[in-house]
Amino acid sequence: MSTFKNPTGPQPPSVYWRRRAVVALGLIAVIVIIVLIVVRPGSGASEPGAAATSSAPAADGSADDAADTAPAETAPAADATPEPSADPSAAADGTACEPTDIALAAILDKESYAATELPQMAMSITNTGDADCVINLGSNQQRLVVSSGEEQYWSSKDCQVNGTDQDVTLTAGQTLETPAIAWDRTRSSPDTCDSESRSPVPADGATYRLSVFVGDITSADPAPMILN
């Protein structure tokens, strides 16, 4: 008979069977280790955490418009002085801007408007200096004025509500631009904040000028427009 099935030698057969069992277990252990190395259970790439995101707050820093959610983009009211699209990510602390280092420009979407078109008005604010500086660009400081000749016809301050103050750091050479607002082509005053009580301004080719202000700083040149 085969010596594998009937081991022979000076020792009792049970000794040889135990040795064979030890060898067999060793081989099984080696095979298991090799399988574990190849398969590596649980070594899949860990799920990455969600990337941290942050959105720059509105320039006025207010929490009135759903601060924890992205606000829906809506057209601002005609008398609402818009906040600039500033990114106040840099801390608004430092040297105050010199008025001579701030350049304002009145912005219109067109130069001539048909009878049914409303002028879209905005302003840009530029730091023309060589250093970063801090300026209050809240709506309390901003003013848009429409005039013709020596007469003022409309001002964003006449019926402004909930004005804000917001210090913003402007880097050297940086330009910010406010969202555009529509002028309804009526004459404004603090006593006529109900648009139904306002009278339309003269048109038929009349020329008007848009001037913009931030505090005591005034735009160098008004932007002209013709109302047909």
Side-chain angles (χ1 to χ4, degrees), residues 17-187:
W17 281 115
R18 283 196 297 270
R19 291 177 179 174
R20 291 179 179 180
V22 171
V23 172
L25 290 175
L27 290 174
I28 293 173
V30 171
I31 292 172
V32 171
I33 292 173
I34 293 174
V35 171
L36 290 175
I37 292 174
V38 173
V39 176
R40 297 182 66 187
S43 64
S46 60
E47 181 179 354
T53 60
S54 61
S55 58
D60 61 1
S62 64
D64 296 334
D65 297 327
D68 295 330
T69 60
E73 185 174 346
T74 58
D79 289 329
T81 304
E83 303 293 352
S85 301
D87 180 5
S89 54
D93 53 1
T95 304
C97 296
E98 293 291 338
T100 54
D101 289 336
I102 298 298
L104 304 181
I107 301 174
L108 292 166
D109 61 323
K110 299 174 66 175
E111 293 182 359
S112 180
Y113 297 89
T116 57
E117 293 179 320
L118 300 182
Q120 302 295 317
M121 308 183 300
M123 76 167 77
S124 67
I125 308 105
T126 301
N127 177 5
T128 61
D130 297 327
D132 301 353
C133 63
V134 178
I135 184 172
N136 185 345
L137 294 182
S139 56
N140 273 336
Q141 301 299 315
Q142 297 181 45
R143 183 160 54 101
L144 288 78
V145 173
V146 175
S147 58
S148 182
E150 298 298 321
E151 186 174 1
Q152 176 177 307
Y153 280 84
W154 182 90
S155 171
S156 61
K157 283 292 187 181
D158 282 342
C159 298
Q160 185 184 60
V161 293
N162 298 326
T164 63
D165 289 294
Q166 177 64 49
D167 287 340
V168 175
T169 297
L170 284 179
T171 59
Q174 182 180 9
T175 296
L176 300 180
E177 185 174 319
T178 65
I181 60 174
W183 174 36
D184 60 3
R185 299 168 60 138
T186 63
R187 184 190 293 267

